[in-house]
Amino acid sequence: NAGVMQNPRHLVRRRGQEARLRCSPMKGHSHVYWYRQLPEEGLKFMVYLQKENIIDESGMPKERFSAEFPKEGPSILRIQQVVRGDSAAYFCASSQYSGTLSYNEQFFGPGTRLTVL
Amino acid sequence: AQKVTQAQTEISVVEKEDVTLDCVYETRDTTYYLFWYKQPPSGELVFLIRRNSFDEQNEISGRYSWNFQKSTSSFNFTITASQVVDSAVYFCALKGGSQGNLIFGKGTKLSVKP
Protein backbone atom coordinates (compact mmCIF):
# COMPACT_ATOMS: atom_id res chain seq x y z
CA ASN A 1 0.00 0.00 0.00
CA ALA A 2 1.97 2.98 -1.27
CA GLY A 3 2.03 6.11 0.82
CA VAL A 4 1.64 9.67 -0.35
CA MET A 5 3.94 10.30 -3.29
CA GLN A 6 5.40 13.64 -4.21
CA ASN A 7 7.52 14.51 -7.18
CA PRO A 8 9.93 15.80 -7.88
CA ARG A 9 11.73 15.48 -4.56
CA HIS A 10 14.03 18.33 -5.46
CA LEU A 11 13.31 21.12 -7.92
CA VAL A 12 15.58 23.96 -8.95
CA ARG A 13 14.18 26.95 -10.80
CA ARG A 14 15.51 30.34 -11.81
CA ARG A 15 13.66 33.46 -10.87
CA GLY A 16 10.70 34.04 -13.16
CA GLN A 17 10.21 30.39 -14.12
CA GLU A 18 7.26 28.24 -13.21
CA ALA A 19 7.32 25.42 -10.66
CA ARG A 20 4.91 22.50 -10.73
CA LEU A 21 4.76 20.20 -7.73
CA ARG A 22 2.82 16.95 -7.86
CA CYS A 23 1.16 14.97 -5.13
CA SER A 24 -0.43 11.56 -5.50
CA PRO A 25 -2.54 10.77 -2.44
CA MET A 26 -2.76 7.40 -0.82
CA LYS A 27 -5.09 4.94 -2.51
CA GLY A 28 -8.67 5.63 -1.52
CA HIS A 29 -7.94 9.16 -0.28
CA SER A 30 -9.90 11.97 -1.87
CA HIS A 31 -8.69 14.89 0.24
CA VAL A 32 -5.36 16.64 -0.19
CA TYR A 33 -3.63 19.34 1.86
CA TRP A 34 -0.59 21.39 0.89
CA TYR A 35 1.76 22.87 3.47
CA ARG A 36 4.87 25.01 3.06
CA GLN A 37 7.90 24.89 5.33
CA LEU A 38 10.20 27.87 5.03
CA PRO A 39 13.79 27.39 6.26
CA GLU A 40 14.00 27.07 10.05
CA GLU A 41 10.22 27.29 10.42
CA GLY A 42 7.25 25.04 11.04
CA LEU A 43 4.80 23.94 8.40
CA LYS A 44 2.17 26.44 7.32
CA PHE A 45 -1.11 25.39 5.76
CA MET A 46 -1.69 26.57 2.22
CA VAL A 47 -4.69 24.85 0.67
CA TYR A 48 -7.12 21.99 1.18
CA LEU A 49 -8.67 20.29 -1.84
CA GLN A 50 -11.12 17.58 -2.57
CA LYS A 51 -11.39 16.02 -6.01
CA GLU A 52 -12.24 18.88 -8.43
CA ASN A 53 -12.91 21.30 -5.55
CA ILE A 54 -10.94 23.77 -3.49
CA ILE A 55 -12.31 23.55 0.05
CA ASP A 56 -10.08 26.05 1.84
CA GLU A 57 -7.38 28.21 0.29
CA SER A 58 -7.01 30.63 3.18
CA GLY A 59 -3.28 29.97 3.48
CA MET A 60 -2.48 30.41 -0.17
CA PRO A 61 -0.67 33.56 -1.34
CA LYS A 62 -3.05 35.62 -3.44
CA GLU A 63 -0.77 35.89 -6.46
CA ARG A 64 1.29 33.43 -8.47
CA PHE A 65 0.13 30.34 -6.53
CA SER A 66 -2.62 27.97 -7.62
CA ALA A 67 -3.63 24.42 -6.84
CA GLU A 68 -5.83 21.81 -8.39
CA PHE A 69 -6.89 18.25 -7.74
CA PRO A 70 -8.50 16.88 -10.90
CA LYS A 71 -10.83 13.93 -11.10
CA GLU A 72 -8.01 11.87 -12.54
CA GLY A 73 -4.35 12.28 -11.74
CA PRO A 74 -2.32 13.91 -9.01
CA SER A 75 -2.88 17.20 -7.22
CA ILE A 76 -0.73 19.98 -8.64
CA LEU A 77 0.63 23.01 -6.80
CA ARG A 78 1.70 25.57 -9.36
CA ILE A 79 3.90 28.57 -8.64
CA GLN A 80 4.26 31.06 -11.46
CA GLN A 81 7.17 33.49 -11.83
CA VAL A 82 9.03 32.08 -8.84
CA VAL A 83 11.05 34.37 -6.58
CA ARG A 84 13.83 33.53 -4.13
CA GLY A 85 11.36 33.74 -1.23
CA ASP A 86 9.48 30.75 -2.65
CA SER A 87 12.43 28.49 -1.79
CA ALA A 88 11.01 26.07 0.75
CA ALA A 89 9.92 22.51 1.32
CA TYR A 90 6.39 21.84 0.15
CA PHE A 91 4.58 18.97 1.82
CA CYS A 92 1.42 17.30 0.70
CA ALA A 93 -0.85 15.27 2.98
CA SER A 94 -3.89 13.19 2.15
CA SER A 95 -6.84 11.89 4.13
CA GLN A 96 -9.66 9.54 3.41
CA TYR A 97 -12.55 11.93 3.85
CA SER A 98 -13.49 15.26 5.35
CA GLY A 99 -11.49 16.38 8.33
CA THR A 100 -13.68 19.25 9.38
CA LEU A 101 -16.10 17.70 11.83
CA SER A 102 -14.13 14.73 12.97
CA TYR A 103 -10.63 13.62 13.02
CA ASN A 104 -9.34 11.91 9.93
CA GLU A 105 -5.65 11.17 9.87
CA GLN A 106 -3.49 13.03 7.42
CA PHE A 107 -0.62 11.10 5.92
CA PHE A 108 2.30 13.20 4.75
CA GLY A 109 4.41 12.78 1.67
CA PRO A 110 8.21 13.15 1.69
CA GLY A 111 8.06 16.75 0.45
CA THR A 112 9.44 18.64 -2.53
CA ARG A 113 12.40 20.91 -1.86
CA LEU A 114 12.16 23.92 -4.16
CA THR A 115 15.25 26.05 -4.66
CA VAL A 116 14.96 29.29 -6.59
CA LEU A 117 18.25 30.62 -7.92
CA ALA B 1 -7.72 31.90 16.99
CA GLN B 2 -5.78 28.68 16.89
CA LYS B 3 -2.13 28.68 17.85
CA VAL B 4 0.64 26.33 18.86
CA THR B 5 3.67 27.56 20.75
CA GLN B 6 6.89 25.64 21.16
CA ALA B 7 8.96 27.99 23.25
CA GLN B 8 12.16 25.93 23.06
CA THR B 9 13.88 26.60 19.77
CA GLU B 10 16.85 24.31 20.37
CA ILE B 11 17.77 21.81 23.04
CA SER B 12 21.05 20.00 23.36
CA VAL B 13 21.51 17.00 25.66
CA VAL B 14 23.99 14.24 26.18
CA GLU B 15 23.01 10.68 25.37
CA LYS B 16 20.99 8.91 28.09
CA GLU B 17 19.65 12.14 29.51
CA ASP B 18 15.90 12.62 29.71
CA VAL B 19 14.49 15.57 27.81
CA THR B 20 11.06 17.22 27.73
CA LEU B 21 9.78 19.22 24.78
CA ASP B 22 7.09 21.73 25.64
CA CYS B 23 3.97 22.50 23.64
CA VAL B 24 1.27 25.00 24.54
CA TYR B 25 -1.80 25.43 22.38
CA GLU B 26 -4.73 27.82 22.02
CA THR B 27 -8.13 26.96 20.63
CA ARG B 28 -11.76 27.83 21.22
CA ASP B 29 -12.96 24.49 19.92
CA THR B 30 -14.24 22.03 22.48
CA THR B 31 -13.25 19.15 20.23
CA TYR B 32 -9.71 19.21 18.93
CA TYR B 33 -6.74 16.98 18.26
CA LEU B 34 -3.08 17.31 19.15
CA PHE B 35 -0.13 15.73 17.39
CA TRP B 36 3.59 15.33 17.58
CA TYR B 37 5.73 14.81 14.49
CA LYS B 38 9.44 14.15 14.16
CA GLN B 39 11.46 15.56 11.26
CA PRO B 40 14.88 13.91 11.07
CA PRO B 41 17.71 15.48 9.06
CA SER B 42 16.49 13.59 5.98
CA GLY B 43 13.48 15.90 5.99
CA GLU B 44 10.42 13.66 6.00
CA LEU B 45 7.70 14.01 8.62
CA VAL B 46 7.25 11.07 10.94
CA PHE B 47 3.97 10.83 12.84
CA LEU B 48 4.46 10.08 16.54
CA ILE B 49 1.15 10.49 18.30
CA ARG B 50 -2.37 11.88 18.09
CA ARG B 51 -4.51 12.81 21.10
CA ASN B 52 -8.09 14.01 21.15
CA SER B 53 -9.40 16.59 23.58
CA PHE B 54 -11.59 14.12 25.42
CA ASP B 55 -8.75 11.87 26.42
CA GLU B 56 -6.36 13.32 28.97
CA GLN B 57 -4.72 10.03 29.76
CA ASN B 58 -0.98 10.20 29.51
CA GLU B 59 0.59 7.84 27.05
CA ILE B 60 3.84 5.94 27.02
CA SER B 61 5.40 4.26 24.03
CA GLY B 62 8.80 2.81 24.75
CA ARG B 63 11.12 5.69 25.62
CA TYR B 64 8.51 8.26 24.57
CA SER B 65 5.79 9.65 26.81
CA TRP B 66 3.26 12.41 26.45
CA ASN B 67 1.62 14.54 29.15
CA PHE B 68 -1.66 16.17 28.07
CA GLN B 69 -3.09 18.74 30.50
CA LYS B 70 -6.17 20.66 29.41
CA SER B 71 -6.00 22.89 32.48
CA THR B 72 -2.75 24.39 31.23
CA SER B 73 -3.37 23.80 27.49
CA SER B 74 -0.18 21.83 27.26
CA PHE B 75 0.85 18.66 25.49
CA ASN B 76 4.44 17.97 26.46
CA PHE B 77 6.65 15.24 25.08
CA THR B 78 9.36 13.47 27.06
CA ILE B 79 12.10 11.26 25.71
CA THR B 80 13.66 9.05 28.35
CA ALA B 81 17.28 7.93 28.03
CA SER B 82 17.79 9.90 24.83
CA GLN B 83 19.82 8.46 21.97
CA VAL B 84 21.73 10.07 19.12
CA VAL B 85 19.06 8.85 16.70
CA ASP B 86 16.54 11.04 18.51
CA SER B 87 18.29 14.09 17.05
CA ALA B 88 15.66 15.82 14.92
CA VAL B 89 13.23 18.70 14.83
CA TYR B 90 10.03 17.92 16.70
CA PHE B 91 6.77 19.60 15.82
CA CYS B 92 3.63 19.87 17.88
CA ALA B 93 0.42 20.43 15.89
CA LEU B 94 -3.24 21.19 16.54
CA LYS B 95 -6.34 20.43 14.54
CA GLY B 96 -9.52 22.15 15.66
CA GLY B 97 -12.79 20.32 15.27
CA SER B 98 -14.05 22.95 12.84
CA GLN B 99 -11.16 22.92 10.38
CA GLY B 100 -9.47 20.48 8.08
CA ASN B 101 -5.85 21.53 8.30
CA LEU B 102 -3.20 21.14 10.99
CA ILE B 103 -1.60 24.12 12.72
CA PHE B 104 2.04 23.53 13.52
CA GLY B 105 4.34 25.06 16.09
CA LYS B 106 7.71 26.32 14.93
CA GLY B 107 9.44 23.19 16.13
CA THR B 108 12.13 22.32 18.65
CA LYS B 109 15.48 21.18 17.35
CA LEU B 110 16.84 18.44 19.58
CA SER B 111 20.51 17.52 19.41
CA VAL B 112 21.61 14.46 21.31
CA LYS B 113 25.37 14.21 21.65
CA PRO B 114 27.20 10.94 22.27
Side-chain angles (χ1 to χ4, degrees):
Chain A
N1 193 9
V4 179
M5 314 256 296
Q6 289 188 250
N7 67 81
R9 296 291 305 275
H10 299 273
L11 182 61
V12 179
R13 285 286 178 266
R14 296 192 180 279
R15 279 179 296 169
Q17 290 184 319
E18 179 179 286
R20 280 187 182 232
L21 288 62
R22 292 174 191 77
C23 169
S24 296
M26 284 182 69
K27 188 176 181 181
H29 286 192
S30 57
H31 295 252
V32 163
Y33 310 78
W34 285 93
Y35 295 83
R36 176 165 66 174
Q37 183 180 25
L38 294 170
E40 311 296 325
E41 298 234 346
L43 281 73
K44 292 268 170 58
F45 166 72
M46 298 180 76
V47 62
Y48 165 30
L49 308 105
Q50 194 181 353
K51 289 271 186 186
E52 300 184 283
N53 275 318
I54 295 176
I55 308 298
D56 180 357
E57 56 182 348
S58 58
M60 195 84 119
K62 295 288 182 258
E63 297 177 350
R64 302 187 297 108
F65 285 73
S66 62
E68 63 177 12
F69 188 16
K71 190 176 177 183
E72 302 290 338
S75 175
I76 307 281
L77 179 68
R78 184 178 173 212
I79 312 173
Q80 296 179 287
Q81 298 175 323
V82 295
V83 300
R84 289 224 174 102
D86 297 333
S87 294
Y90 292 82
F91 287 92
C92 163
S94 73
S95 69
Q96 194 168 10
Y97 36 80
S98 173
T100 53
L101 295 180
S102 63
Y103 175 69
N104 201 270
E105 185 167 358
Q106 293 181 23
F107 294 82
F108 280 84
T112 293
R113 270 92 189 148
L114 172 65
T115 301
V116 179
L117 301 177
Chain B
Q2 320 260 5
K3 189 179 177 182
V4 175
T5 302
Q6 294 180 256
Q8 304 147 309
T9 307
E10 290 193 45
I11 300 176
S12 183
V13 299
V14 177
E15 214 171 11
K16 296 185 184 173
E17 281 186 30
D18 298 348
V19 58
T20 295
L21 309 182
D22 297 333
C23 173
V24 173
Y25 62 92
E26 293 176 32
T27 181
R28 289 185 184 155
D29 290 330
T30 52
T31 300
Y32 53 90
Y33 304 87
L34 296 162
F35 306 79
W36 277 95
Y37 286 87
K38 174 182 179 180
Q39 187 174 43
S42 51
E44 74 273 20
L45 278 171
V46 179
F47 168 80
L48 296 177
I49 190 172
R50 177 186 80 236
R51 252 356 212 177
N52 72 51
S53 52
F54 299 121
D55 184 0
E56 280 193 78
Q57 265 194 324
N58 291 330
E59 181 153 340
I60 298 175
S61 175
R63 296 184 297 107
Y64 295 171
S65 62
W66 291 270
N67 183 357
F68 176 27
Q69 293 203 341
K70 284 177 83 168
S71 60
T72 55
S73 298
S74 64
F75 186 42
N76 297 338
F77 172 32
T78 297
I79 302 174
T80 303
S82 59
Q83 299 176 1
V84 173
V85 293
D86 295 328
S87 296
V89 180
Y90 290 85
F91 291 100
C92 181
L94 164 71
K95 178 190 171 308
S98 57
Q99 68 193 68
N101 59 286
L102 301 179
I103 294 169
F104 285 82
K106 291 194 173 181
T108 297
K109 183 176 181 179
L110 174 65
S111 298
V112 181
K113 310 225 181 289

